[in-house]
Amino acid sequence: MVEGSMTQGAGQGPEVERTATLRDFRVPAYVHEAGPYAHSAHPGEVLPPPEEAYPEGYTPTQRDLPVVNRGDTVQVTVEPETAAALQTHTGQGPLYVVGDVHGYLDELVAALQAKGLLDAAGHWCAGTARLWFLGDFTDRGPDGIGVIDLVMRLSAEAAAAGGYCKALMGNHELLLLGAKRFGDTPVNSGAGTATFQAAWLLNGGQKTDMDRLQDHHLQWMSRLDAVEEVDGHLLVHSDTTAYLDYGRSIEEVNDTVRETLTRNDADEVWDLFRKFTKRFSFRDEGGADAVRSLLDTYGGTRVVHGHSPIPYLLGEVGSEDDDDSSDPVIEGPHVYADGLAIAMDGGVTMAGKLLVQQLPLDT
């Protein structure tokens, strides 16, 4: 699948009149009613039920994550940048990726402004720059719907300027879609009875997001791609090899994921969610080989992912519910797995950092 193909889900939505700069999506009117983005306070912590309430291996609703202290990860220090104005030899603008956002709209806007991608009013000012979000827009933070609205609006503004803003499917998009579609319908979790509604609440689902969730949000999320390759970077949300279960090419994976969501079978969608929730495939022994299995199949020279917070990968924290009140210090992405993987989730939900990074890295 080539970059910018018709199957790209980011920026798509209900059918509208086609123009040269507005493609496959509709920007909700209320996005502009209160300025470019709404101000929201940080939420309180979302606490899980007792650990013993769920069997071992119940991945989607088990939030405590194991940590292995590794000495082979590399933290990349990134200096503040001015507005992106350079173009590549192909005439395209510079490439940027964004890690997990999880409803932290103000932090996202500040990070995009620091990279020169948004102006002071929160509008696209980066010309032909290319921006990819790695998924997980909602849950845990205060304004997931506001984040989605911003990304949809930036898709239109970037396209009008000759650039683009696109997004990948994260496991929390699947979770929110499932909670909305299936609610308390029992699903076969492989570890007893489960429901999307329970999993969504346990994993930081916000009532304010569900209340504001509209059809065009659902359509936009359901059309997102799961994998893309851009400038030699294989972009995925999760640090897992589970993508291989859905196809031997990027196009096949993306088509299979979309078809699964279109069939609207609760058990099928749950299995997709469960597999996209797996993590740490690239971190431990054999991690580099796991990365190579993706690169050999789908192309690219490095995998760029979100999903697993960098503090977990570095062993700086044990879980989101640790009593240790010290905040992780995250300055930039982390390169690991023999230099083949770049982790982009800076742990914004645990007072880390929301990462926006230009690629390629200078390492």
Side-chain angles (χ1 to χ4, degrees), residues 24 37 43 46 81 86 105 107 135 151 154 185-186 206 221 226 233 338 344:
D24 295 327
Y37 63 95
V46 180
E81 300 178 7
L86 298 177
L105 178 60
E107 287 79 357
V151 176
L154 292 180
T185 301
Q206 302 293 304
M221 286 190 292
H233 299 92
D338 293 349
M344 280 293 301

Side-chain angles (χ1 to χ4, degrees), residues 7 11-12 47 78 87 135 145 151 158 163 184 215 221 229 231 248 261 270 274 283 288 303 308 344 350:
T7 60
Q12 294 182 359
L47 299 178
V78 181
Q87 290 189 340
I145 298 302
V151 176
D184 289 324
D215 286 344
M221 286 190 292
E229 189 273 325
D231 294 354
R248 305 302 295 178
L261 292 173
W270 178 268
R274 180 182 62 83
R283 187 191 64 178
V303 167
S308 290
M344 280 293 301
M350 58 186 73

Side-chain angles (χ1 to χ4, degrees), residues 322-337:
D322 273 356
D323 293 331
D324 186 357
S325 60
S326 60
D327 295 336
V329 178
I330 300 298
E331 297 297 336
H334 285 258
V335 180
Y336 68 116

Side-chain angles (χ1 to χ4, degrees), residues 31-284:
V31 171
H32 303 289
E33 290 176 357
Y37 63 95
H39 180 83
S40 301
H42 286 273
E45 290 195 23
V46 180
L47 299 178
E51 182 174 352
E52 60 272 17
Y54 295 93
E56 183 178 355
Y58 188 57
T59 306
T61 56
Q62 182 63 51
R63 295 176 59 202
D64 289 344
L65 302 175
V67 170
V68 177
N69 247 324
R70 294 292 302 268
D72 60 353
T73 55
V74 179
Q75 185 167 349
V76 180
T77 302
V78 181
E79 297 297 329
E81 300 178 7
T82 58
L86 298 177
Q87 290 189 340
T88 66
H89 65 281
T90 62
Q92 296 176 312
L95 174 65
Y96 291 83
V97 291
V98 184
D100 298 31
V101 182
H102 283 300
Y104 285 85
L105 178 60
D106 292 343
E107 287 79 357
L108 172 61
V109 170
L112 293 173
Q113 289 173 332
K115 294 295 184 181
L117 297 168
L118 301 188
D119 61 22
H123 293 284
W124 183 264
C125 66
T128 60
R130 298 166 293 159
L131 180 63
W132 275 95
F133 286 82
L134 299 179
D136 276 9
F137 302 102
T138 67
D139 303 335
R140 299 195 174 117
D143 195 2
I145 298 302
V147 170
I148 292 175
D149 286 337
L150 175 65
V151 176
M152 292 175 70
R153 175 167 62 77
L154 292 180
S155 296
E157 295 179 355
Y164 67 64
C165 172
K166 300 182 182 181
L168 294 181
M169 173 81 71
N171 61 303
H172 280 263
E173 281 68 65
L174 292 168
L175 183 57
L176 182 58
L177 283 167
K180 180 66 174 180
R181 289 183 181 182
F182 308 117
D184 289 324
T185 301
V187 295
N188 181 14
S189 71
T193 302
T195 71
F196 270 105
Q197 179 73 10
W200 175 70
L201 289 172
L202 184 61
N203 286 276
Q206 302 293 304
K207 184 178 183 299
T208 52
D209 283 344
M210 188 64 75
D211 290 344
R212 296 168 58 199
L213 188 62
Q214 299 183 33
D215 286 344
H216 60 268
H217 299 129
L218 295 169
Q219 292 180 31
W220 182 82
M221 286 190 292
S222 67
R223 297 175 182 178
L224 295 174
D225 283 340
V227 186
E228 274 293 351
E229 189 273 325
V230 187
D231 294 354
H233 299 92
L234 187 64
L235 309 181
V236 296
H237 172 69
S238 303
D239 45 326
T240 178
T241 58
Y243 296 95
L244 296 170
D245 295 343
Y246 291 93
R248 305 302 295 178
S249 69
I250 290 175
E251 185 172 9
E252 185 179 358
V253 172
N254 293 332
D255 287 346
T256 302
V257 169
R258 259 189 296 279
E259 290 165 3
T260 299
L261 292 173
T262 300
R263 283 192 295 271
N264 211 35
D265 179 272
D267 286 329
E268 275 195 289
V269 177
W270 178 268
D271 189 60
L272 179 64
F273 162 64
R274 180 182 62 83
K275 289 180 177 179
F276 277 26
T277 303
K278 293 180 178 180
R279 63 174 85 241
F280 298 150
S281 295
F282 313 150
R283 187 191 64 178
D284 302 321

